[in-house]
Amino acid sequence: MNGHKRQREESAKMIETALFELLKEKDFAQITVSGIVKRADVARRTFYRLYKGKEDVIDCYFSRLCQNYRSTYPALEKYDLDQIARDYFGFWYQYREFLMVMNQCGLREKLYYEISRVSEEIVKNRISCKEVRNGQEVRYFAYYSAGGFILLLHHWIIEGMRETPDEYAQKVSRAISQFIAPFFSFTETL
């Protein structure tokens, strides 16, 4: 990695850290770019070289989380609800403090939007099963599946993420399986 790229990444990390520290102190609406750059100890022009505005800091952070998820959890050979739930909730649990802060500081809608945006990509990547040939069908299933996982994560955040990721994933996959298994056995007899 060249020096310029490393410096950009370090500046971005300092800006993100400053924003997240400020979010612990006040609502997002009260935070200014001036306050962020002061806390980060970077020049205002550095901020605008990296971001369009304070919302963009969060967008970029979530995009990086999505890339991290994709590199950590590759596509599965076969769709496995239990594995996907454990991986999904385990991944987000690492960022529990950040998610809880966003939920509490007036960014609940932004949090929901960003999780929706990255979860679609995450789920699509996990279900790239070899036996599925139709990309359109994979996309539809990813939308459907991501929607459920997003709402489950959203409610887990609202409830304070008290359960461990494994406990929550087990509870979720057990509940979902109770409804899916009878449906599939019913449709197979038709």
Side-chain angles (χ1 to χ4, degrees), residues 67-100:
Q67 291 170 347
N68 184 9
Y69 191 101
R70 277 196 307 260
S71 66
T72 305
Y73 303 107
L76 297 170
E77 292 293 318
K78 184 174 178 166
Y79 187 82
D80 181 344
L81 178 63
D82 293 332
Q83 184 66 52
I84 290 171
R86 280 193 312 274
D87 294 346
Y88 184 81
F89 297 120
F91 176 80
W92 288 111
Y93 195 78
Q94 299 172 73
Y95 303 98
R96 179 178 184 262
E97 182 182 354
F98 167 71
L99 297 173
M100 299 299 290

Side-chain angles (χ1 to χ4, degrees), residues 25-44:
E25 299 168 12
K26 52 183 139 186
D27 281 351
F28 186 69
Q30 298 170 320
I31 297 172
T32 63
V33 170
S34 295
I36 296 169
V37 296
K38 182 177 180 185
R39 177 72 62 101
D41 196 26
V42 298
R44 192 175 182 86

Side-chain angles (χ1 to χ4, degrees), residues 11-189:
S11 295
K13 180 68 177 158
M14 290 169 29
I15 290 168
E16 286 173 1
T17 301
L19 175 59
F20 301 147
E21 286 173 0
L22 289 167
L23 286 172
K24 293 176 187 176
E25 299 168 12
K26 52 183 139 186
D27 281 351
F28 186 69
Q30 298 170 320
I31 297 172
T32 63
V33 170
S34 295
I36 296 169
V37 296
K38 182 177 180 185
R39 177 72 62 101
D41 196 26
V42 298
R44 192 175 182 86
R45 70 179 177 273
T46 300
F47 179 93
Y48 283 111
R49 259 189 247 143
L50 297 169
Y51 305 104
K52 297 174 200 149
K54 63 183 184 177
E55 294 83 3
D56 197 34
V57 177
I58 295 170
D59 295 347
C60 291
Y61 182 74
F62 269 101
S63 291
R64 216 172 28 267
L65 289 182
C66 185
Q67 291 170 347
N68 184 9
Y69 191 101
R70 277 196 307 260
S71 66
T72 305
Y73 303 107
L76 297 170
E77 292 293 318
K78 184 174 178 166
Y79 187 82
D80 181 344
L81 178 63
D82 293 332
Q83 184 66 52
I84 290 171
R86 280 193 312 274
D87 294 346
Y88 184 81
F89 297 120
F91 176 80
W92 288 111
Y93 195 78
Q94 299 172 73
Y95 303 98
R96 179 178 184 262
E97 182 182 354
F98 167 71
L99 297 173
M100 299 299 290
V101 166
M102 282 197 60
N103 183 57
Q104 294 165 357
C105 71
L107 285 173
R108 188 175 281 180
E109 285 182 29
K110 179 74 170 162
L111 175 62
Y112 184 75
Y113 169 77
E114 289 299 331
I115 289 172
S116 299
R117 184 174 66 85
V118 300
S119 291
E120 176 194 327
E121 291 179 51
I122 288 168
V123 171
K124 241 195 277 190
N125 185 59
R126 291 310 301 275
I127 63 169
S128 295
C129 306
K130 290 181 181 176
E131 67 265 11
V132 178
R133 306 245 190 281
N134 186 330
Q136 184 75 19
E137 290 173 357
V138 169
R139 210 169 86 220
Y140 289 151
F141 184 76
Y143 296 156
Y144 167 80
S145 186
F149 275 104
I150 292 161
L151 285 173
L152 289 163
L153 177 60
H154 184 70
H155 285 285
W156 191 35
I157 293 166
I158 289 170
E159 294 167 357
M161 297 177 87
R162 288 184 208 98
E163 297 159 299
T164 68
D166 283 341
E167 290 169 341
Y168 193 67
Q170 186 178 40
K171 187 166 75 171
V172 163
S173 59
R174 188 174 41 241
I176 292 169
S177 295
Q178 287 179 8
F179 290 96
I180 290 177
F183 174 76
F184 282 120
S185 60
F186 171 76
T187 57
E188 289 172 3
T189 60

